[in-house]
Structures are given as C-alpha cells and as structure tokens.
Amino acid sequence: MCLAIPGKIKSIEYQYNGLVKMAQIVFGGITKQASLEMLPDAEVGDYVLVHVGVAISKIDEEEAKKTFEYLQEIGELDELVESSQIERDGGSCAL
Amino acid sequence: MKYMSEYRSSEVVKQYVDELHKITTQPWTIMEVCGGQTHSLVKNGILDIIPKNVRMVHGPGCPVCVTPLNLIDKAVYLAEEKGVILCSYGDMIRVPGSKRSLLESKARGADVRILYSPLEAVKIAQENPNREVVFFAVGFETTAPANALSVVHARRAGIKNYSILASHVLVPPAMEAVMNDEDTLIQGFLAAGHVCTIMGISEYEPLVRKYNLPIVVTGFEPVDLLQGILMTVRQLEKGEAKLENQYSRVVRPEGNPDAIKVINEVFEVEDREWRGIGNIPKSGWEVKDELAMYDANKKFDVNIVKVPECADCIAGLVLKGIKKPYECSQFGTKCSPEKPLGAPMVSSEGACAAYYHYSNAGDLVEA
Ligand code: SF4
C-alpha cells in the first residue's frame, strides 16, 4: 500500500471545473490517473513516482525502468490492477 | 525468479556483500524502519547473505500493523451502523477488529470498497450525493499527501458528503520511542526512502545527535538495502554517527515542498496510539479543527469501547525490534495470515507475515 510506482506522464487534464490538475500515467501496460498537485512543473513525457494516486517525485527514465522491472519481477504491482479485484493481499509498503 | 538470480549474481551485490564481510569485526544490530524494506530483505534472502554478526531487526513501519484496534472497530461501526460507503486500501480492509474485519463486514452486506487511491473516494462521494463516504486514511508520511489531497479536492469541488477516518503516523517519533525502550539493542537505522521523498532528511539530524547513532536513508530494492546496510556498518565500525542518504537518486534533502504544503493545509501534529506500542507523543497527524466536517471522527461522533489487544500476541515487542516473529509462541501455530492474531501477520508488510511467507522459520531460529 505504501509503495510508490514509477510511470510516465501520457497526458495532463483538469477536473472539477478546472480546479484539479490530473495526469494519465502509463505503468507498463496499465494507464491510471494521478494528481500532479505535488509536482506542479511536471510535463508530458516526464517519469514520476506515483503513490496511491499522487505523483510525488520526478525521477529519470533509467531509474523508472529499473524500479518498474524490479517491482514487476517480484510481483508487487497488484495495486495497479483494478482495485476491486484485490480482495487478497493489498500491495506492498515501501514507505 | 529471473530478477532474483540476476541480482544475486550481480557484481554490485557481490562487491557489497564481500565488503560487508570484510569490514564487520563485531556484532551490530540495525533496524530497518519501513515494512516495505522488511518485505524486501526477507523475500530476497538478504538476511542469509549478510554476515551473521549483522543482525537486522524489523521496525514499526507498517501503517496497517500499527493502526489501533479501536479505529478498526470504528470503521466497522461506520460501515455497519451508520451505513456509510467505507473505502480504504486493500490491506487495511483485512485487518481483524475486535469483532471482525471490514472485509467480513462487507460479506455481511456493508458497503465496503477497496480503492487504489483516496482521490477515487472523492469521486464516489460526488456520484452518490445522498450517501456519506468515509475513507479510512491510514499511512505514514508517504501516504499523507494523497489522503490530505482528497480533503482538498472535496473542499474545492464543494463535496460535503466526504470525510476521512485518519490514522496517520510519523516515522521520527516512532524511532525515538523504539530507542527510548530500555530493552532496545539498536545501534543504527535504515530510514525509509519514500518517507524522505516527501519530508526530506533533516528531521533525522536531531535523532543522530541525541542517540549518537548512524541513520542512513535507504531505498527498498535489494541493492539499495545492501548498500544502506554497508554504509551503516562502515560508520559503526569507525565509531561514527552521521546522517547519510543512500537513496539520493530519488530523495532530495528538502523532500517535496509542495507535498508538505498540502499536508500542512489539512493535518496537524498530535499524540497517537500505536497498536502494540501504545501512545507516542506528537507521533501522528489529525485533521485540523477548521476542517472538522471532513473528519469522520468528529462528523459521526463514534464512541467505541476500547477492547484490549489479544494477550498472546507480542506484536509490540516485534514492532520495536526486541523479538523476532519466530520467537513468538503463536507464530505459525495459532497465528497465520489466514487466521492472524495480530496485525503484523495480516499485512504483507508486517514482519510476521513476511517471515511466514518467505523464510524458513526453522532455519532462522538456528541462525
Ligand atoms: S506471530 Fe502473530 S501472535 Fe505472534 S507477534 Fe506476530 S502477529 Fe502477534
């Protein structure tokens, strides 16, 4: 649950009548929405660490790929799968 | 597993492990604070390749594990008696309360939903204007920005049927509580990388000075952990006590100021009860008074009688690193992930569950 997962910003959009800045973020084959509130200068194409729906840190491409592969290998990407399916082990917690 | 064999044979790993064996001249006890690090250490077999003299003990850094029983009972009450849509992270839903877990409530018909992010709960509130939606917001500093942001989103969008049941805990006061225990054996800490991504590293400087021990901010991948352990042992062997940052490729010294701003907008520091440990002063975040309408505790005025923890569970000693999970008489017998007696056996980040799943407890007892 406390795991931050690296992904790439695909597009940026505004919600709640323009009050909230969100991004579509691609994690391997999965696209999920995340807030850019904590990274106001992040742009399309940037790699970011996303934690429970919020992008918390920019990272470089190489770091993103390496970390993603590691998480994939050890099977820690469950929380990206539709949450409703996760009735078993939650995610993992890297604080 | 491909990765694991690659990492084990990798040059870097060999180099770190060799150096660790070379420089370690006496026994050292180091605590990794973060449950994700515990998970990674046990799952990747790192405890088997480092010198026997370097004893890693596992800290209280699993937010699900330290959430008090009473709060789980409150969440169950809100879902069952108040009829709210109760949302939380997957692992929180499974933790047993004194009567049952949220997952069991769900099976009995309560509207309990597992979400990936609290921001999704705000959407659910918007789509269900006639229902109250409560997000059970647990976590350490890493998760706080998202939980706080959900309140900010609700406020900006004028959504009034959303609130959070906050169980937010902070790492530095917990490290202090662990050190203040007279039975502690800890001589150095690996601090949690992702916590520091948000908060920066300066909070640990006073701890380094007060307890005169090394603290190394460390990532959670095997190579990170090995390097973090090596950096800590190097300091210990030289008699040094410094704050170092192993994870500088991700952690900036100042953290993420925009995230800290949102946290401060919504939360204020308060005393917190930690499951198995007890009250720790100024160790958590509570929703600010002026945002009381987003605070499920105040909004619903739930008063649940406190039920004592299971007497056979030594979770407090495990969470403080004084006992290893396999030293608990219930471990693997009366207590297993299918039928947990205490929270560290429930969450995949909990030390007891990590040992249960990934290590041969028999071997470890010998070790
Ligand atoms: S093994 Fe079970 S009973 Fe023992 S400390 Fe861990 S959670 Fe508690």
Side-chain angles (χ1 to χ4, degrees):
Chain A
M1 180 212 98
C2 327
L3 188 70
I5 302 168
K8 185 180 185 177
I9 303 180
K10 188 166 90 177
S11 60
I12 294 176
E13 63 203 57
Y14 289 84
Q15 294 179 353
Y16 298 114
N17 301 321
L19 292 170
V20 165
K21 190 179 179 187
M22 301 291 283
Q24 292 289 338
I25 302 198
V26 193
F27 305 90
I30 305 162
T31 302
K32 270 204 153 335
Q33 227 172 37
S35 162
L36 291 184
E37 184 91 16
M38 320 284 168
L39 295 176
D41 56 354
E43 290 166 14
V44 172
D46 282 348
Y47 286 85
V48 290
L49 272 183
V50 178
H51 175 63
V52 294
V54 175
I56 55 171
S57 173
K58 275 210 254 186
I59 49 174
D60 67 28
E61 183 174 349
E62 198 193 328
E63 169 68 17
K65 297 218 158 114
K66 215 186 83 209
T67 306
F68 190 84
E69 264 168 41
Y70 168 67
L71 295 174
Q72 205 165 31
E73 284 288 342
I74 64 162
E76 292 294 330
L77 293 175
D78 278 3
E79 64 180 36
L80 284 179
V81 181
E82 273 322 305
S83 341
S84 54
Q85 292 169 15
I86 308 177
E87 306 272 76
R88 28 182 201 101
D89 281 36
S92 169
C93 178
L95 292 180
Chain B
M1 226 177 270
K2 184 173 131 272
Y3 177 87
M4 255 127 71
S5 49
E6 263 174 23
Y7 115 78
R8 275 180 176 250
S9 59
S10 110
E11 264 313 298
V12 211
V13 167
K14 226 176 124 350
Q15 206 184 311
Y16 288 155
V17 174
D18 286 351
E19 190 178 344
L20 202 50
H21 279 272
K22 206 181 317 156
I23 66 167
T24 308
T25 63
Q26 50 184 305
W28 299 112
T29 301
I30 302 169
M31 172 178 272
E32 86 281 359
V33 179
C34 157
Q37 292 175 333
T38 305
H39 193 84
S40 185
L41 282 175
V42 179
K43 185 164 187 169
N44 292 300
I46 295 171
L47 301 179
D48 309 331
I49 55 174
I50 60 175
K52 288 232 179 334
N53 265 345
V54 178
R55 181 178 158 95
M56 297 302 296
V57 294
H58 316 305
C62 160
V64 171
C65 303
V66 299
T67 295
L69 195 57
N70 188 250
L71 265 182
I72 300 166
D73 288 348
K74 268 188 193 171
V76 167
Y77 175 84
L78 287 174
E80 293 184 359
E81 305 297 326
K82 297 279 178 177
V84 309
I85 302 177
L86 200 292
C87 313
S88 195
Y89 305 111
D91 28 9
M92 197 61 232
I93 302 276
R94 294 173 55 238
V95 181
S98 65
K99 278 203 227 83
R100 55 184 152 270
S101 68
L102 283 163
L103 195 59
E104 286 158 346
S105 282
K106 185 181 165 75
R108 295 161 70 111
D111 196 345
V112 174
R113 303 188 192 182
I114 297 173
L115 302 182
Y116 162 67
S117 163
L119 303 182
E120 295 169 350
V122 182
K123 283 238 174 67
I124 294 176
Q126 195 182 30
E127 288 157 11
N128 296 274
N130 301 322
R131 300 279 306 277
E132 282 292 334
V133 176
V134 176
F135 190 80
F136 193 3
V138 303
F140 277 93
E141 289 92 330
T142 327
T143 317
N147 290 339
L149 192 60
S150 74
V151 171
V152 172
H153 276 193
R155 189 158 66 154
R156 280 188 201 157
I159 294 168
K160 298 204 164 63
N161 56 330
Y162 176 73
S163 58
I164 62 175
L165 184 62
S167 176
H168 259 295
V169 276
L170 304 173
V171 167
M175 287 163 72
E176 202 156 344
V178 163
M179 285 313 294
N180 289 344
D181 192 298
E182 52 185 27
D183 292 327
T184 190
L185 302 165
I186 294 155
Q187 294 160 301
F189 280 105
L190 305 186
H194 287 162
V195 163
C196 299
T197 307
I198 306 289
M199 301 303 291
I201 64 173
S202 61
E203 300 186 294
Y204 299 91
E205 207 60 85
L207 293 177
V208 166
R209 283 199 303 272
K210 182 169 174 189
Y211 299 103
N212 192 36
L213 43 66
I215 299 181
V216 178
V217 176
T218 305
F220 64 97
E221 291 174 45
V223 177
D224 291 324
L225 285 160
L226 275 172
Q227 193 182 11
I229 295 168
L230 178 60
M231 288 165 79
T232 312
V233 172
R234 239 187 235 144
Q235 285 197 45
L236 288 168
E237 288 284 346
K238 284 195 211 144
E240 290 176 347
K242 290 187 301 192
L243 175 63
E244 290 185 295
N245 185 1
Q246 177 277 332
Y247 204 34
S248 59
R249 63 186 197 276
V250 175
V251 173
R252 290 168 190 85
E254 72 282 10
N256 180 335
D258 290 292
I260 295 173
K261 206 173 93 198
V262 175
I263 293 170
N264 289 335
E265 203 179 315
V266 174
F267 292 128
E268 61 196 359
V269 173
E270 53 130 49
D271 298 350
R272 266 267 164 212
E273 196 196 318
W274 293 55
R275 187 170 189 168
I277 296 181
N279 194 287
I280 304 180
K282 297 198 186 342
S283 69
W285 275 317
E286 192 60 85
V287 180
K288 284 184 170 172
D289 272 343
E290 70 232 48
L291 294 169
M293 64 174 291
Y294 300 102
D295 183 345
N297 253 321
K298 293 183 180 134
K299 195 171 189 174
F300 296 100
D301 188 30
V302 245
N303 244 324
I304 302 280
V305 185
K306 281 199 180 171
V307 177
E309 307 266 348
C310 165
D312 294 333
C313 170
I314 58 159
L317 295 174
V318 172
L319 293 170
K320 283 191 272 193
I322 294 167
K323 288 255 194 259
K324 290 270 190 175
Y326 51 78
E327 289 168 339
C328 171
S329 62
Q330 312 296 316
F331 178 81
T333 53
K334 284 203 200 125
C335 182
S336 68
E338 290 70 43
K339 253 198 141 330
L341 287 183
M345 190 55 103
V346 175
S347 164
S348 55
E349 300 86 53
C352 299
Y355 274 76
Y356 186 90
H357 283 302
Y358 302 117
S359 63
N360 182 334
D363 284 0
L364 282 159
V365 179
E366 314 259 297

